[in-house]
Amino acid sequence: MCMLDTLLLNKARVFALDDLERIFHEKDKLQGEINVLEMRLAENDAKMKVAAQEKIRVELLEAQLEKLRNELAQRGATERSVFDLYESQNNFFNKEAPLLQNNTLLQNSSVHSLSEELSLLRSENMSLKNDIEALREELSNVKNTDERVAILVKQHSLMKSSLQDLESKLIASEEDVSKLSSLKVECKDLWEKVDTLQALLDKATKRADQAILVLQQNQDLRKKVDKLEESLEEAVVYKLSSEKLQQYNELMQQKMKLLEEHLQRSDEEIHSYVRLYQDSVQEFQDTLKSLKEESNKRALDEPIDDMPWEFWSHLLLIIDGWLLEKKISTDDAKLLREMVWKRDGRICEAYMESREKNEREAVSRFLKLTSSPKSSGLSIIHIAAEMAPVAKVGGLGDVVTGLCKALQKRGHLVEIVLPKYDCMQYDRIHNLRVLDVVVESYFDGKLYKNKIWVGTVEGLPVYFIEPQHPEKFFWRGQFYGEHDDFRRFSFFSRAALELLLQSGKKPDIIHCHDWQTAFVAPLYWDLYAPKGLNSARICFTCHNFEYQGTAPASELASCGLDVHQLNRPDRMQDNSAHDRVNPVKGAVVFSNIVTTVSPTYAQEVRTAEGGKGLHSTLSFHSKKFVGILNGIDTDAWNPATDTSLKVQYNVNDLQGKTENKIALRKFLGLSNADVRQPMVGCITRLVPQKGVHLIRHAIYRTLELGGQFVLLGSSPVAHIQREFEGIANHFESHHHIRLILKYDESLSHSIFAASDIFIIPSIFEPCGLTQMIAMRYGSIPIVRKTGGLNDSVFDVDDDTVPPQFRNGFTFSTPDEHGVNSALDRAFNYYRNNTEVWQQLVQKDMNMDFSWELSTSQYEELYLKSVARARVAANRAQGL
C-alpha cells in the first residue's frame, strides 16, 4: 500500500511540475501579447490626435471655402452689370453714330479699360474654380479620414476587450501559480510522510522476518515434543507387553517345530507339482508356436493395408523391369503382378528379405513364391500427354492423376504411360530409373529405339518413354505448341502400345485422352490386336472438342496406319476437309467407350455450334458416348493440409482464410487497409474460350465496385498476351489490381485461399476444375451457365434449385451486362449479408467434389464393356 501511495505521489509531483511549466509558458506568452496590444494602443492614440488636428484644419478650410463662395457670387453680379452697360453703350453708339463721332476717342478709351477689367475678372474666376476643386479634393480626403478614424475606434475597443481577457487570464494563471505553490508544500509534506512510511515498512518487515524465524523454531520444537510423546507412549506399551511377548515366543518356538516337520513332509509334494507345471509349460509353448505359425500364414494370405500405394507401384515397376530385361518369364511376371495387385503379404515379405541381396538373389527369392487367388479388380492403363504435377498444362493433368488415384483406391491395378519431357518436374518423381532394355517402335518406315524409364508419381506407377529419334520429339522445352505435334504424339502413341506388347501386359482397359493419344484406338485395333495385345477395351476421353489435331492425311502413314483405309467418312476423315484426317474422330469411331467431362457438355457437342464439326459423328455413336463430371483430388486441394498456404484452415475455423488474404496482399503489394474489402480471383489460360473480353471487363468492374482483382495465367495467343501485358503494366503499382501473366502452381493455391469470389466467365467450358477448387477453399464462384460450370454451380437466387445445392452466382449471356449482374449481386451479398455469406462459404467448403462419384461411373462403364467383351469371346469360342 505504501509503495502504491509513493507511486501516486510521484505521478502527482510530475504532473504538478508539468502544469507549472505550462502555466509559466502561458504567462510569458500572455505578457508578450499585452506588450503588443499596448504598443498598438499607443499608435491608435497618436493616430487619433492627428485625426483631430486634421478635423480642425478641415473646419477652417470649410470656413474659407464658404467665404470664397460669397465673394465669387458678388463678383459675378458685378461682372453681369458691366456687361449690360457695355451692351447698351454699343447699341447707343450704333444708333447714334453720326452724333457721337466727335466723342470717338473718349469712348474708345473707356471701352478699353472695361475690357481689361473684364479679362482680369475672368482670370480671377478661373483661379477661384481651381481653388474650389482643390477644396473639394481636400474635403473628400477629410471624409476618408473620418472613416479611418471610425475603424481605428472600433479596433481600439476590440483591443481593450482583448486586453481585459488577457488580464483575466493573467489573474487566473496567478491563482494557478498560488495553487501550485500550495501543491508544492503538500507534495513536500507527502514526501516526508512517504519517507516515514517507508521507514515504518522496513521496521515492520524486519519484525515480520523475526516473527517467521521464531514461528519456525516453535514448529521445530513442537515436532520434537510430539516425537518425545510418541516415544514415551511406545515405551509404556512396550513395558506393558514385554511379559506377554515372552510367553508368545515360547508358543512360537513350539509352532516352529511343528512347521518344520510339516514342511519336510510337503517338500515331496511340491517337487511333484513342479514336475507337473514344467510339463504344462512345455505343452503351452508348443501350442503357442503352432498358433503363431498359423497367424503368420494367415497374415501372408491376407492383403496388407498399412503399406503406401507408392510401395506397391514401385514393386510393380521392379517386376515389369525384370520382364522387359528378360530376367523373368511372361507367366512369372503375370503371377507376380497379380500378387502385387492383391497386395499379397508374401510378396511384401520377399521384397523385405531381398533388399540387402543382389538382383539375381532377389529374382530367385521372388520366383519361389506360389500362385495366389486372382484379384477381382481390373488392369487399367492410361496413356496420356499430361499428368499432374510432373507434366501439367491444364485440367487434363489433374484429371489423369485424380482419376487414377481414385481407381487405385477402389482395388484396381492402375498404370500410366507418359512421354519423357525434358521440362517435367523431375523432383516430383520418386525412384526414377532407366530400365536395362530398349523398346523399338516403327516410324517413317524405320524402327527407332526408345529408352524406358520408371518411377512413381503420387503413389502411381508411371512409365516414361524417351524416343531415340533424331528430331528429339520431347526435348523441346515445352509440352505442346510445336509445328510437328502430330508427328510427335503419333510416334508416342505407337511406342506406348509397343511397350505394352513387349512387356507382356494383358490390360482390361486402355484409356487414352485427347487428340494427342487418340491415335491409340486405331493403332490398337488395326496393328496390335492382331499381334496378341487383344485383351483390352479402349476408352477415349475428349476433354475439349475445340482441339482435334487435324493434319494432312499423308502424315498418318508415318506411324504405320493405312491412309487409304482410314481416310474415309466413316473412319478418320475430317468432316470439314476430305484431304485431312482427324485423330479425335478416329478415337470416337474406334473406341469401345467415349466420354467427355460433363453431362451438359456432352449435350452441347452434339449440336452444330458446340461439336466443332464432329456433332454428326458423336450423334451417330451416341450409344457409347456419355458425359461424366470430373472431380478434384481432395488430398492435393485441401486447405487444412495445404503446405503452400501461409496458414491452414478448415470449414470450422475460417480465420486462416483472412490471414492468407492479408499474406497474399503483402506478397503482391496490394492494399491491406480494409480486411473486409472483397478480393476477386481468376486463374485461367487466356484464350478466347475462357472469355478474355469478359475477364478484362471484370477487372475494371471490380475496381468500380471497390474490390480487388488478382489474375494468374498466360496466353499462347500473341495479341492476347500483349493486350494483358499492357493492362498489367497499367496497374503495375496499383493498390487493388494485380496481373501475374504466367503459371505458378504454388501461387495458385494462395490465390484460391485468399479470394472471396472467383470468376470463370467462359464462352464454353467442357468441365472446369477451377470452380470446384475455389469452393473447396471457400471462394464463391461466379460462372457462365455452360458445360461443366452449369453442372456444378447453381445460383443462390434460383428458386427452382433446392437450397442445399445453391452455391454461387451465374449468368447466361456472354456479355458485359451478364458479368455486371453477377458481380453486383455477389458484392451486395458480401457487404450487406455477412451472415448469409458466411453460411454460403461453409456450404461450399462442405460440398463433395471428390472423384468418388465420377470414379464409380467410370468403373461401371469399364466393367460393362469388359463383361460384353467376355460374353462375345465366349460366344465366338462356342461357335
Side-chain angles (χ1 to χ4, degrees):
M1 188 66 183
C2 294
M3 291 298 293
L4 181 60
D5 292 339
T6 302
L7 291 173
L8 292 173
L9 288 172
N10 284 335
K11 289 182 179 179
R13 185 180 184 188
V14 172
F15 291 154
L17 291 173
D18 292 338
D19 291 338
L20 179 61
E21 185 177 354
R22 180 173 54 79
I23 289 168
F24 278 131
H25 179 71
E26 289 181 357
K27 182 180 177 182
D28 294 337
K29 185 177 179 181
L30 291 171
Q31 188 63 47
E33 290 179 359
I34 289 170
N35 293 336
V36 172
L37 290 172
E38 287 177 350
M39 292 176 62
R40 291 178 66 181
L41 185 61
E43 290 175 0
N44 287 337
D45 290 337
K47 289 180 180 179
M48 288 179 69
K49 288 179 181 179
V50 172
Q53 292 175 359
E54 288 289 333
K55 188 174 183 181
I56 293 169
R57 182 169 175 271
V58 167
E59 289 175 354
L60 292 173
L61 288 172
E62 285 179 346
Q64 291 177 0
L65 180 61
E66 187 65 27
K67 183 177 179 181
L68 287 170
R69 285 176 177 171
N70 293 334
E71 289 178 357
L72 183 61
Q74 291 175 1
R75 288 186 178 184
T78 305
E79 185 179 1
R80 283 194 299 273
S81 62
V82 170
F83 274 110
D84 294 338
L85 178 60
Y86 178 74
E87 289 292 331
S88 63
Q89 287 178 351
N90 283 339
N91 292 332
F92 178 74
F93 180 75
N94 292 330
K95 291 179 180 179
E96 300 295 333
L99 295 177
L100 297 176
Q101 289 179 351
N102 295 325
N103 298 325
T104 304
L105 294 171
L106 178 63
Q107 290 174 348
N108 287 339
S109 62
S110 61
V111 169
H112 180 72
S113 63
L114 287 172
S115 298
E116 289 178 352
E117 186 176 358
L118 182 61
S119 63
L120 288 171
L121 287 172
R122 285 178 177 171
S123 62
E124 288 179 0
N125 192 18
M126 290 298 294
S127 64
L128 285 173
K129 285 182 180 179
N130 293 332
D131 290 339
I132 288 169
E133 291 295 329
L135 286 172
R136 284 178 179 173
E137 290 178 0
E138 289 182 359
L139 183 59
S140 65
N141 291 334
V142 169
K143 289 180 181 179
N144 292 335
T145 303
D146 289 340
E147 292 176 357
R148 288 170 61 194
V149 169
I151 293 169
L152 290 171
V153 170
K154 288 182 181 179
Q155 291 180 352
H156 182 262
S157 62
L158 290 172
M159 288 179 182
K160 279 185 177 180
S161 63
S162 299
L163 183 60
Q164 290 174 357
D165 292 339
L166 291 173
E167 288 175 351
S168 62
K169 288 182 179 180
L170 181 60
I171 293 168
S173 65
E174 289 175 351
E175 291 176 356
D176 291 337
V177 171
S178 63
K179 290 179 181 178
L180 184 59
S181 61
S182 64
L183 283 172
K184 283 182 179 179
V185 174
E186 292 178 4
C187 184
K188 185 177 181 181
D189 294 340
L190 288 171
W191 272 112
E192 292 174 354
K193 290 180 181 179
V194 168
D195 293 336
T196 305
L197 289 170
Q198 187 66 40
L200 292 172
L201 179 62
D202 294 339
K203 290 179 180 179
T205 304
K206 290 179 181 179
R207 289 178 181 176
D209 294 337
Q210 293 174 357
I212 291 169
L213 292 173
V214 172
L215 182 60
Q216 290 177 350
Q217 292 173 359
N218 288 341
Q219 288 177 349
D220 294 338
L221 290 172
R222 182 64 184 171
K223 289 179 181 178
K224 291 178 180 179
V225 170
D226 292 339
K227 288 181 179 179
L228 288 171
E229 289 178 350
E230 291 176 359
S231 300
L232 182 60
E233 290 177 357
E234 290 176 357
V236 172
V237 171
Y238 179 75
K239 184 178 180 181
L240 293 172
S241 62
S242 59
E243 296 177 355
K244 295 181 179 178
L245 183 62
Q246 188 175 359
Q247 296 174 359
Y248 178 74
N249 285 336
E250 292 175 355
L251 291 171
M252 289 299 294
Q253 287 177 359
Q254 295 176 1
K255 289 182 177 181
M256 285 290 291
K257 291 179 180 179
L258 294 172
L259 285 172
E260 287 176 356
E261 294 175 357
H262 181 70
L263 181 63
Q264 189 175 0
R265 289 194 302 268
S266 63
D267 279 343
E268 296 177 358
E269 296 179 359
I270 291 172
H271 286 300
S272 65
Y273 285 129
V274 168
R275 284 194 297 271
L276 290 172
Y277 172 74
Q278 288 175 345
D279 293 340
S280 299
V281 168
Q282 184 63 41
E283 183 180 357
F284 172 76
Q285 287 177 345
D286 294 339
T287 305
L288 181 62
K289 184 178 180 180
S290 64
L291 288 173
K292 283 184 177 179
E293 291 175 355
E294 185 178 351
S295 176
N296 290 334
K297 184 178 180 181
R298 189 183 302 113
L300 290 172
D301 292 337
E302 292 178 355
I304 297 176
D305 294 326
D306 58 351
M307 298 298 288
W309 281 109
E310 187 171 341
F311 167 80
W312 298 108
S313 299
H314 177 60
L315 201 55
L316 186 69
L317 293 173
I318 290 175
I319 294 167
D320 286 343
W322 288 342
L323 174 63
L324 290 168
E325 293 165 353
K326 309 299 182 183
K327 293 174 182 175
I328 60 176
S329 67
T330 302
D331 292 338
D332 290 335
K334 180 180 179 182
L335 171 63
L336 294 174
R337 280 198 202 106
E338 289 177 351
M339 296 181 73
V340 172
W341 192 349
K342 190 174 177 61
R343 289 173 290 162
D344 194 313
R346 288 171 297 173
I347 198 167
C348 178
E349 183 183 22
Y351 173 77
M352 296 300 179
E353 290 177 2
S354 60
R355 281 191 301 177
E356 303 299 328
K357 299 179 180 180
N358 59 42
E359 189 176 42
R360 179 176 295 177
E361 292 173 340
V363 171
S364 176
R365 175 68 180 86
F366 272 69
L367 291 177
K368 290 179 181 179
L369 298 174
T370 58
S371 62
S372 61
K374 188 176 180 181
S375 171
S376 60
L378 297 174
S379 173
I380 305 166
I381 296 177
H382 285 258
I383 302 175
E386 293 183 39
M387 180 185 183
V390 295
K392 175 183 173 181
V393 176
L396 170 60
D398 292 313
V399 171
V400 170
T401 303
L403 176 58
C404 290
K405 287 174 68 176
L407 287 167
Q408 187 184 62
K409 288 178 181 178
R410 296 176 79 91
H412 301 290
L413 177 61
V414 184
E415 300 165 281
I416 300 102
V417 183
L418 289 178
K420 187 176 184 294
Y421 300 101
D422 60 342
C423 52
M424 288 193 302
Q425 293 189 31
Y426 284 92
D427 59 324
R428 304 297 293 272
I429 307 172
H430 299 286
N431 302 313
L432 179 65
R433 64 188 179 92
V434 63
L435 297 179
D436 186 17
V437 65
V438 174
V439 173
E440 292 186 332
S441 61
Y442 175 90
F443 199 74
D444 283 337
K446 299 178 183 179
L447 289 177
Y448 290 93
K449 296 179 179 179
N450 298 275
K451 285 186 179 180
I452 307 300
W453 297 70
V454 294
T456 57
V457 178
E458 298 288 308
L460 294 163
V462 185
Y463 302 85
F464 299 95
I465 296 177
E466 181 184 355
Q468 303 299 292
H469 194 281
E471 295 180 21
K472 298 186 180 298
F473 284 140
F474 300 108
W475 290 80
R476 308 285 184 85
Q478 63 179 2
F479 301 110
Y480 306 139
E482 295 292 310
H483 69 281
D484 58 347
D485 277 354
F486 189 94
R487 286 172 54 79
R488 294 169 70 215
F489 288 104
S490 60
F491 180 100
F492 166 71
S493 296
R494 174 144 190 178
L497 289 173
E498 194 67 38
L499 170 64
L500 301 187
L501 177 66
Q502 294 188 30
S503 63
K505 292 182 181 293
K506 295 292 183 179
D508 296 302
I509 296 291
I510 296 176
H511 195 148
C512 47
H513 300 264
D514 276 350
W515 77 263
Q516 289 87 355
T517 56
F519 304 98
V520 167
L523 281 168
Y524 177 83
W525 292 114
D526 279 10
L527 301 179
Y528 283 89
K531 293 182 180 181
L533 182 62
N534 56 4
S535 62
R537 307 295 281 176
I538 306 297
C539 178
F540 172 69
T541 298
C542 184
H543 299 255
N544 191 338
F545 282 93
E546 179 80 6
Y547 307 102
Q548 298 179 12
T550 63
S554 58
E555 291 196 18
L556 195 61
S558 295
C559 65
L561 288 172
D562 188 334
V563 177
H564 178 72
Q565 291 294 324
L566 293 176
N567 188 26
R568 290 163 43 179
D570 60 337
R571 296 188 180 178
M572 291 187 69
Q573 187 181 80
D574 187 60
N575 292 341
S576 302
H578 296 166
D579 59 342
R580 298 177 71 84
V581 289
N582 187 325
V584 172
K585 180 181 177 181
V588 171
V589 172
F590 282 93
S591 295
N592 304 104
I593 307 166
V594 180
T595 71
T596 191
V597 291
S598 71
T600 298
Y601 189 57
Q603 295 174 2
E604 292 174 347
V605 295
R606 284 199 287 263
T607 66
E609 181 181 1
K612 307 299 178 183
L614 287 180
H615 57 284
S616 59
T617 303
L618 292 169
S619 296
F620 183 81
H621 294 279
S622 61
K623 289 184 178 180
K624 62 179 180 181
F625 181 49
V626 64
I628 299 176
L629 187 68
N630 284 337
I632 59 173
D633 186 343
T634 52
D635 294 330
W637 297 104
N638 184 359
T641 58
D642 194 336
T643 56
S644 298
L645 304 186
K646 178 76 173 178
V647 179
Q648 286 78 40
Y649 63 97
N650 56 54
V651 69
N652 298 316
D653 180 15
L654 292 173
Q655 179 59 33
K657 184 168 179 65
T658 302
E659 294 181 31
N660 281 292
K661 185 176 180 180
I662 293 170
L664 181 66
R665 284 171 168 175
K666 288 181 180 178
F667 178 74
L668 297 179
L670 298 176
S671 172
N672 246 326
D674 181 9
V675 176
R676 282 284 301 162
Q677 184 180 13
M679 178 181 286
V680 179
C682 184
I683 300 175
T684 184
R685 288 183 301 114
L686 295 171
V687 293
Q689 168 202 337
K690 301 296 182 178
V692 288
H693 66 293
L694 300 180
I695 293 172
R696 180 179 62 247
H697 175 73
I699 294 172
Y700 292 96
R701 184 60 178 174
T702 299
L703 195 59
E704 292 173 2
L705 293 172
Q708 294 181 320
F709 197 101
V710 177
L711 169 68
L712 176 66
S714 61
S715 179
V717 184
H719 74 272
I720 295 177
Q721 182 73 11
R722 286 195 301 271
E723 178 185 4
F724 276 83
E725 285 173 354
I727 298 172
N729 293 333
H730 177 72
F731 289 110
E732 184 176 7
S733 302
H734 202 278
H735 294 306
H736 303 297
I737 305 294
R738 195 68 73 242
L739 278 66
I740 305 96
L741 301 179
K742 62 178 183 177
Y743 182 75
D744 187 322
E745 178 73 19
S746 178
L747 182 58
S748 71
H749 288 244
S750 299
I751 294 173
F752 279 121
S755 299
D756 301 295
I757 300 166
F758 230 86
I759 188 162
I760 308 106
S762 302
I763 304 304
F764 70 94
E765 189 64 67
C767 176
L769 303 179
T770 305
Q771 75 278 12
M772 301 179 192
I773 299 171
M775 286 186 273
R776 176 80 166 159
Y777 282 71
S779 184
I780 308 303
I782 295 177
V783 306
R784 197 176 89 79
K785 291 171 67 69
T786 182
L789 300 176
N790 187 55
D791 294 325
S792 56
V793 180
F794 306 96
D795 200 287
V796 296
D797 295 324
D798 188 351
D799 295 334
T800 64
V801 176
Q804 65 268 27
F805 298 118
R806 302 177 199 169
N807 55 3
F809 299 86
T810 66
F811 62 97
S812 298
T813 56
D815 54 27
E816 295 177 358
H817 177 72
V819 172
N820 289 350
S821 173
L823 265 176
D824 292 354
R825 287 190 295 121
F827 270 66
N828 181 56
Y829 267 88
Y830 181 85
R831 285 175 168 154
N832 302 322
N833 296 281
T834 306
E835 185 176 351
V836 174
W837 187 271
Q838 185 85 354
Q839 293 171 356
L840 183 59
V841 169
Q842 292 175 328
K843 182 201 296 183
D844 282 11
M845 291 183 71
N846 279 322
M847 285 194 162
D848 183 11
F849 288 108
S850 69
W851 273 101
E852 189 64 28
L853 178 60
S854 305
T855 304
S856 66
Q857 293 176 287
Y858 273 108
E859 186 180 50
E860 183 180 0
L861 288 175
Y862 292 162
L863 291 171
K864 287 182 177 179
S865 183
V866 169
R868 284 195 295 268
R870 288 173 181 170
V871 169
N874 291 334
R875 287 178 180 174
Q877 289 177 359
L879 292 176

